[in-house]
Amino acid sequence: MPLSDRIESAISEAIQLGQGGKAPPKLSSALNYAVTPGGARIRPTILMSVAMACGDDKPEMANAAAAALELIHCASLVHDDMPCFDDADTRRGKPSVHKAYSEPLALLTGDSLIVLAFEVLARQAKVDPMRMAELVMILAQRTGMPRGICAGQGWESEAQVDLSAYHQAKTGALFIAATQMGAVAAGQEAEPWMELGARIGEAFQVADDLRDALYDEATLGKPVGQDEIHNRPNAVSQLGVQGATSRLKDILGGAIASIPSCPGEAALAQMVQAQAQRLTPVAPAHSRG
Amino acid sequence: MPLSDRIESAISEAIQLGQGGKAPPKLSSALNYAVTPGGARIRPTILMSVAMACGDDKPEMANAAAAALELIHCASLVHDDMPCFDDADTRRGKPSVHKAYSEPLALLTGDSLIVLAFEVLARQAKVDPMRMAELVMILAQRTGMPRGICAGQGWESEAQVDLSAYHQAKTGALFIAATQMGAVAAGQEAEPWMELGARIGEAFQVADDLRDALYDEATLGKPVGQDEIHNRPNAVSQLGVQGATSRLKDILGGAIASIPSCPGEAALAQMVQAQAQRLTPVAPAHSRG
């Protein structure tokens, strides 16, 4: 099965868990709407790639971990789009959840997806309870407080921002979760995989800043110029387009160099390279001047 | 240690987990504000009482379970108070979290507390990984979709409401979690403990309806008449004050009768009886006419 099919199938199984029985129909539909069709599924792709590089000896664990991680990512998008944060009307080229359903349902969709992520992991206790527990720990720590994506968003309410804590929590956290959960799902230690995740996270942040500067709303499928509007730090405003592009390449080189020794090291380096090409934005004709 | 001290200590330890390191200060403070000082801590009290009735052989498990359950309850209060739901300015006699901090911080506080609840449980894997996994499962299922408190709130966005699914999810779910998690924390099976939780949940719903009808905002510490405003079903409007009071007594009698055979059965029956007296509102002078 191609990797992308494996990921979609794991996500779809997870979502079904939240929809059985006597569920309120609109919230049930909103869960599905928030998660499909997905974006690039980059976090579960990284997670699965690391698990496979580490031998993927219990594939059910990697499947559950990948689905759980993507549910958390989707939950964060739903909540971030809400009026009290980015107030974004569109996401992935369609109306955001609070626009398509309502604010109460968007709030509940995010909450339900967070909870579902942990349920999906807990169901794998029968396969390996200790790996499952570590997956729950990593996912919780990279989602909540004090150093997960909630902490990252929390920094945006502060007058004085610790920039390194902000970036690592806001964008880095779920990439660190991706590499560490992939390793743990396959029975390896989490710690040596932290640097790869952190570097991919940095690269992603710079790439996002570049896309925000170079693309228009129709191409991105979400509103542009949000950093400027919300006065958030941005690599392009600090380094310029060329500087940011060159920084992106450096970070990705460092990411590849940091891959721990493992059976599938070469294939994993290729995957990071491929993500790098995908991440690096091509300036569209009208902005090349 | 008195039970209430044991519960407060478990909750305080849990909150500290979410506040270490480089955490954004306002969100960190909001987590604490949302959880302390608490209300009656009725759900963790029930959980601990069941665990003790079942022998409480691994008290760390019961402590973690009680704290996790209370964090979820507090998270639900923070999100329910937000403008898109009840739009409540006060909670437990002080400004609600979005009033004291901001809407973004209230949203993040709820999210962080949900995540922290699962982290608190996962940390106990070293004590007993299989019990831990079952605690995560029960808590997730009674919090999220399709039959947890998120589902309960979700029903409020439907034109056609399945009343029994609505009540069991909205109020019953966390009481079922309380009795079942208490049993599982002490190494017992969850299933025989469902009825006790469900009946306590029903009793609580009726008692809440009575308080909503009999008390004023100053006494309750939160806005009254919310059911009427939001057109939600209410036992007092259906049965009258006397009818609802008598229904409350019947339900509590059934709850006590449903307690599974266990070493501390008699003490547990007493606890339910004590909660019953606490729950039953005394009509204040000005509303007796």
Side-chain angles (χ1 to χ4, degrees), chain A residues 18 20 22 24-27 79 84-85 104 107 111-112 115 119 122-123 125 132-133 136 140-141 145-146 150-151 154 157-158 162, chain B residues 18 20 22 24-27 79 84-85 104 107 111-112 115 119 122-123 125 132-133 136 140-141 145-146 150-151 157-158 162:
Chain A
K22 278 187 188 170
K26 284 182 199 159
L27 181 55
H79 281 179
C84 70
F85 285 115
L107 185 45
D111 289 356
S112 303
V115 172
E119 183 179 342
R123 283 182 180 260
M132 185 284 287
V136 171
Q141 290 179 346
M145 278 275 285
C150 290
S157 292
E158 298 292 336
D162 181 319
Chain B
K22 279 187 187 169
K26 284 181 199 158
L27 180 54
H79 281 180
C84 69
F85 286 115
L107 186 44
D111 289 357
S112 302
V115 172
E119 182 179 341
R123 282 182 180 261
M132 185 283 289
V136 171
Q141 291 180 345
M145 278 278 283
C150 290
S157 291
E158 299 292 335
D162 181 319

Side-chain angles (χ1 to χ4, degrees), chain A:
Chain A
M1 198 193 296
L3 188 53
S4 61
D5 290 357
R6 186 177 162 192
I7 291 170
E8 291 309 319
S9 150
I11 292 170
S12 147
E13 219 173 280
I15 283 295
Q16 277 163 33
L17 285 179
Q19 294 179 313
K22 278 187 188 170
K26 284 182 199 159
L27 181 55
S28 194
S29 154
L31 291 193
N32 205 53
Y33 184 89
V35 175
T36 54
R41 306 288 197 207
I42 185 167
R43 292 159 194 79
T45 302
I46 293 167
L47 189 155
M48 286 278 199
S49 304
V50 171
M52 290 190 301
C54 293
D56 197 22
D57 65 335
K58 294 183 178 174
E60 314 93 300
M61 297 300 297
N63 291 349
L69 182 60
E70 184 66 10
L71 295 186
I72 291 288
H73 173 59
C74 292
S76 80
L77 300 181
V78 174
H79 281 179
D80 289 2
D81 284 342
M82 287 182 69
C84 70
F85 285 115
D86 287 353
D87 196 12
D89 290 354
T90 56
R91 165 69 65 182
R92 290 171 180 163
K94 64 181 188 177
S96 49
V97 175
H98 66 278
K99 279 287 166 190
Y101 291 84
S102 67
E103 274 192 62
L105 285 169
L107 185 45
L108 291 172
T109 297
D111 289 356
S112 303
L113 291 175
I114 295 171
V115 172
L116 195 54
F118 293 104
E119 183 179 342
V120 165
L121 292 176
R123 283 182 180 260
Q124 297 310 315
K126 57 189 185 303
V127 179
D128 193 319
M130 290 312 291
R131 285 191 202 175
M132 185 284 287
E134 200 174 347
L135 291 171
V136 171
M137 282 287 289
I138 296 170
L139 188 60
Q141 290 179 346
R142 298 299 171 181
T143 301
M145 278 275 285
R147 46 188 190 146
I149 51 174
C150 290
Q153 283 279 69
W155 278 114
E156 295 179 8
S157 292
E158 298 292 336
Q160 297 286 324
V161 178
D162 181 319
L163 271 184
S164 124
Y166 168 66
H167 278 303
Q168 195 172 81
K170 166 100 180 173
T171 318
L174 291 192
F175 289 103
I176 296 173
T179 55
Q180 292 196 322
M181 290 173 80
V184 169
Q188 299 305 304
E189 278 187 19
E191 199 285 323
W193 291 89
M194 176 161 166
E195 189 178 346
L196 176 61
R199 286 182 186 264
I200 296 176
E202 277 180 75
F204 198 80
Q205 178 67 56
V206 176
D208 209 44
D209 291 352
L210 276 163
R211 277 197 303 270
D212 195 65
L214 294 174
Y215 291 167
D216 60 15
E217 182 162 337
T219 313
L220 270 184
K222 63 178 182 181
V224 296
Q226 290 295 307
D227 289 338
E228 213 166 326
I229 294 165
H230 298 279
N231 198 22
R232 291 188 293 233
N234 180 307
V236 177
S237 58
Q238 285 163 354
L239 305 169
V241 169
Q242 273 209 317
T245 307
S246 133
R247 172 112 187 84
L248 178 59
K249 283 183 186 149
D250 288 350
I251 296 168
L252 284 161
I256 289 168
S258 84
I259 295 175
S261 165
C262 61
E265 197 177 329
L268 187 58
Q270 268 184 350
M271 185 280 297
V272 176
Q273 199 64 262
Q275 293 293 349
Q277 273 162 13
R278 185 174 197 165
L279 277 178
T280 313
V282 179
H286 68 266
S287 69
R288 278 185 197 137

Side-chain angles (χ1 to χ4, degrees), chain B residues 144-159:
Chain B
M145 278 278 283
R147 45 189 190 142
I149 51 173
C150 290
Q153 283 279 68
W155 278 114
E156 295 179 7
S157 291
E158 299 292 335

Side-chain angles (χ1 to χ4, degrees), chain B:
Chain B
M1 201 193 293
L3 187 53
S4 60
D5 289 358
R6 186 177 162 191
I7 290 170
E8 290 310 319
S9 151
I11 292 169
S12 148
E13 220 175 280
I15 283 294
Q16 277 163 32
L17 285 179
Q19 294 178 312
K22 279 187 187 169
K26 284 181 199 158
L27 180 54
S28 194
S29 155
L31 291 193
N32 206 51
Y33 184 89
V35 174
T36 53
R41 306 289 197 208
I42 184 166
R43 292 158 193 80
T45 302
I46 293 167
L47 189 155
M48 287 278 198
S49 303
V50 170
M52 290 191 297
C54 293
D56 196 23
D57 65 335
K58 294 183 176 173
E60 314 92 302
M61 297 301 295
N63 291 349
L69 181 60
E70 185 67 8
L71 295 185
I72 292 287
H73 173 59
C74 293
S76 79
L77 299 181
V78 175
H79 281 180
D80 289 3
D81 284 343
M82 287 182 69
C84 69
F85 286 115
D86 286 354
D87 196 12
D89 290 353
T90 57
R91 164 69 66 180
R92 292 172 179 163
K94 63 180 189 178
S96 49
V97 175
H98 68 276
K99 279 286 165 188
Y101 291 84
S102 68
E103 273 191 63
L105 285 170
L107 186 44
L108 291 172
T109 297
D111 289 357
S112 302
L113 291 175
I114 294 171
V115 172
L116 193 54
F118 293 104
E119 182 179 341
V120 165
L121 292 176
R123 282 182 180 261
Q124 298 310 315
K126 56 188 187 303
V127 179
D128 193 318
M130 291 312 290
R131 285 191 202 177
M132 185 283 289
E134 199 174 348
L135 291 172
V136 171
M137 282 287 288
I138 295 171
L139 188 59
Q141 291 180 345
R142 298 298 170 181
T143 300
M145 278 278 283
R147 45 189 190 142
I149 51 173
C150 290
Q153 283 279 68
W155 278 114
E156 295 179 7
S157 291
E158 299 292 335
Q160 297 285 326
V161 177
D162 181 319
L163 271 185
S164 124
Y166 166 66
H167 277 304
Q168 196 171 82
K170 167 98 180 172
T171 317
L174 290 193
F175 288 102
I176 295 172
T179 55
Q180 292 196 321
M181 290 173 79
V184 169
Q188 300 303 305
E189 279 187 20
E191 200 283 325
W193 291 90
M194 176 160 166
E195 188 177 346
L196 177 61
R199 284 181 187 265
I200 296 175
E202 277 180 75
F204 198 80
Q205 179 67 55
V206 176
D208 210 42
D209 291 351
L210 276 164
R211 277 198 302 271
D212 196 64
L214 295 174
Y215 290 167
D216 59 16
E217 183 162 335
T219 312
L220 269 183
K222 63 177 182 181
V224 296
Q226 290 296 310
D227 289 337
E228 212 167 328
I229 294 165
H230 298 280
N231 199 22
R232 291 189 293 235
N234 179 306
V236 177
S237 56
Q238 286 162 354
L239 304 168
V241 169
Q242 272 210 318
T245 307
S246 133
R247 172 111 185 85
L248 177 59
K249 284 185 184 146
D250 288 352
I251 296 168
L252 283 163
I256 289 170
S258 84
I259 296 175
S261 167
C262 61
E265 198 178 327
L268 186 57
Q270 268 183 350
M271 184 279 297
V272 177
Q273 198 63 261
Q275 294 292 350
Q277 275 163 11
R278 187 174 195 165
L279 277 177
T280 314
V282 179
H286 68 265
S287 68
R288 278 184 197 139

